[in-house]
Amino acid sequence: MKILSINNKLKNMNYLCVGACHIDNILKIQKEYKLERTNPVNSTLKLGGVVSNIANNLKLFTKNTKLFSLPFEKNINTKFFTNKIKPIEISNSINDSFYNAILDKNGKLIIGLASNSTYEKIKNINFRKIDKFLKNENYLILDLCFNQNLIEKIINYYYKKVKIYIAGTSIYKIHRIRKSLKFIDSLCLNEDELLALTKKNSLNSSINYIINKNKNINLSITRSNKPAIMILKNNKYLGTIPKIQVKNENGAGDAFASMFFLTLSSKLHPSLILSYSIAFGCLKAMDFQYKKTKYFNKEFNRILKKVNIKKYEKQ
């Protein structure tokens, strides 16, 4: 896929994505659901995991993307990896993780159910398998599936070598980077994750908390259909979210993060970074299928025209 002003800048950039890769079961309820009753659903199995989703989104724009995760069981159906990045194994621990998402009939997420026990238990990964791909401009994209000790170990190992980008992942896991904020170049998370990370009661106090820990951090905050917030070089930007027909919002946040990391590393104008990220997230929520470049560019630009960006004075 091509987006004008990005592709020519990607030749020397290297994206190393480390974290969860597992099978997602997306259960979409066919009618108005009733609690404590059996509801008819449509079920879709697909490859998922936060960093896996990000890596496969990046793959649409650049070949310089690698995915590092745990090995699957030998009997896993290879169809899940069709047109996807197959993960490079960085541990001998067999991946038994899964994610179930229950959506209402309109594609809105009701609840997500995640099991990451293997990721939580491992104490180390094979850094050499990642290191051999270091070249040119390197960006380590990390989700928070590992336990806090291992996450801190990975960050401490790489922060002097590469730029570290973090995807928020979950309100139950975001605390794992609290002690490492000063080493992180960029952080993309949602409003609930932000409040859980900072233990503050408001957006502004949470943003100030993070900036006080790391004045150079790049920050983006998604807020469902409310304007997304971005902090770059202590400047605050708000981006409106277009009205769209949501079909499957599962993975929309990962799509936003993918484009945020891609455009940020490409050093685009801040307004383009935020507007592109919003547009790409919207396409994912619309369940847009990336098959033909011409059609993608048309839909992307149609959504892009509906995004308005406002810049505020320095924080």
Side-chain angles (χ1 to χ4, degrees):
M1 299 294 179
K2 292 185 177 181
I3 296 180
L4 189 64
S5 73
I6 292 182
N7 284 71
N8 291 335
K9 299 183 179 184
L10 296 176
K11 294 179 181 178
N12 296 320
M13 296 179 186
N14 197 31
Y15 300 96
L16 308 173
C17 304
V18 182
C21 181
H22 47 65
I23 303 303
D24 287 358
N25 187 12
I26 311 302
L27 301 163
K28 189 172 183 179
I29 299 174
Q30 296 175 6
K31 301 178 181 180
E32 293 291 341
Y33 67 89
K34 295 184 179 181
L35 297 176
E36 302 179 1
R37 294 292 183 270
T38 300
N39 294 270
V41 300
N42 293 319
S43 175
T44 303
L45 293 173
K46 68 181 190 67
L47 195 67
V50 170
V51 99
S52 174
N53 291 339
I54 290 174
N56 282 291
N57 286 329
L58 292 174
K59 174 179 170 285
L60 298 171
F61 305 97
T62 173
K63 295 179 180 178
N64 299 332
T65 304
K66 295 288 184 292
L67 172 61
F68 303 89
S69 193
L70 305 188
F72 282 84
E73 294 180 348
K74 298 298 182 183
N75 62 353
I76 190 73
N77 195 322
T78 56
K79 72 176 184 179
F80 291 116
F81 297 101
T82 303
N83 297 322
K84 300 288 185 180
I85 298 177
K86 190 170 182 180
I88 297 169
E89 298 171 2
I90 52 174
S91 171
N92 292 325
S93 298
I94 299 298
N95 184 357
D96 64 354
S97 300
F98 64 85
Y99 174 74
N100 294 332
I102 301 176
L103 314 178
D104 69 14
K105 67 174 186 176
N106 297 315
K108 294 285 289 181
L109 180 67
I110 298 172
I111 191 170
L113 306 169
S115 173
N116 295 107
S117 58
T118 307
Y119 291 98
E120 300 274 359
K121 292 175 182 176
I122 64 173
K123 297 180 179 180
N124 205 358
I125 59 171
N126 190 332
F127 288 99
R128 289 178 297 176
K129 287 193 173 183
I130 302 173
D131 289 348
K132 72 178 185 178
F133 291 100
L134 292 175
K135 59 181 180 179
N136 302 321
E137 295 183 46
N138 298 291
Y139 300 88
L140 185 81
I141 300 175
L142 181 67
D143 70 18
L144 306 178
C145 64
F146 302 113
N147 62 67
Q148 183 171 335
N149 287 337
L150 183 51
I151 288 171
E152 290 177 356
K153 186 175 184 178
I154 294 170
I155 291 174
N156 288 334
Y157 183 84
Y158 281 112
Y159 81 91
K160 290 183 179 180
K161 303 177 182 180
V162 304
K163 289 190 175 181
I164 294 178
Y165 290 177
I166 301 289
T169 311
S170 164
I171 59 171
Y172 301 108
K173 299 176 181 179
I174 192 66
H175 68 277
R176 296 172 183 176
I177 59 166
R178 192 174 293 131
K179 295 180 181 179
S180 303
L181 283 171
K182 63 182 178 180
F183 303 126
I184 295 169
D185 181 84
S186 303
L187 173 61
C188 183
L189 71 178
N190 63 42
E191 183 174 0
D192 290 337
E193 291 163 350
L194 175 71
L195 298 176
L197 170 63
T198 63
K199 296 184 178 179
K200 303 295 181 183
N201 296 321
S202 70
L203 277 171
N204 286 336
S205 59
S206 293
I207 291 169
N208 289 335
Y209 172 91
I210 291 175
I211 291 174
N212 286 334
K213 294 288 184 180
N214 182 352
K215 66 179 181 180
N216 296 315
I217 197 168
N218 303 303
L219 182 65
S220 66
I221 306 156
T222 57
R223 307 161 64 213
S224 187
N225 60 352
K226 294 185 288 186
I229 298 171
M230 182 178 72
I231 309 294
L232 254 63
K233 296 180 180 178
N234 285 328
N235 288 314
K236 182 178 180 181
Y237 301 83
L238 258 65
T240 58
I241 308 300
K243 290 184 178 180
I244 59 171
Q245 183 178 358
V246 175
K247 293 184 178 180
N248 179 0
E249 69 176 13
N250 186 65
D254 298 339
F256 179 101
S258 306
M259 187 58 74
F260 176 64
F261 295 150
L262 187 74
T263 52
L264 184 67
S265 60
S266 299
K267 300 177 177 61
L268 296 194
H269 187 277
S271 294
L272 290 179
I273 293 173
L274 186 53
S275 58
Y276 279 21
S277 301
I278 291 171
F280 197 56
C282 285
L283 282 181
K284 182 63 178 178
M286 294 163 60
D287 210 17
F288 181 85
Q289 302 300 313
Y290 313 100
K291 293 182 178 179
K292 294 184 179 180
T293 300
K294 184 177 180 181
Y295 184 43
F296 170 83
N297 289 340
K298 180 180 178 180
E299 285 298 294
F300 184 84
N301 286 307
R302 183 179 69 82
I303 299 296
L304 194 62
K305 290 176 182 178
K306 298 179 180 181
V307 179
N308 294 310
I309 306 297
K310 186 174 182 179
K311 178 182 177 183
Y312 291 81
E313 296 299 320
K314 286 196 174 185
Q315 296 289 291

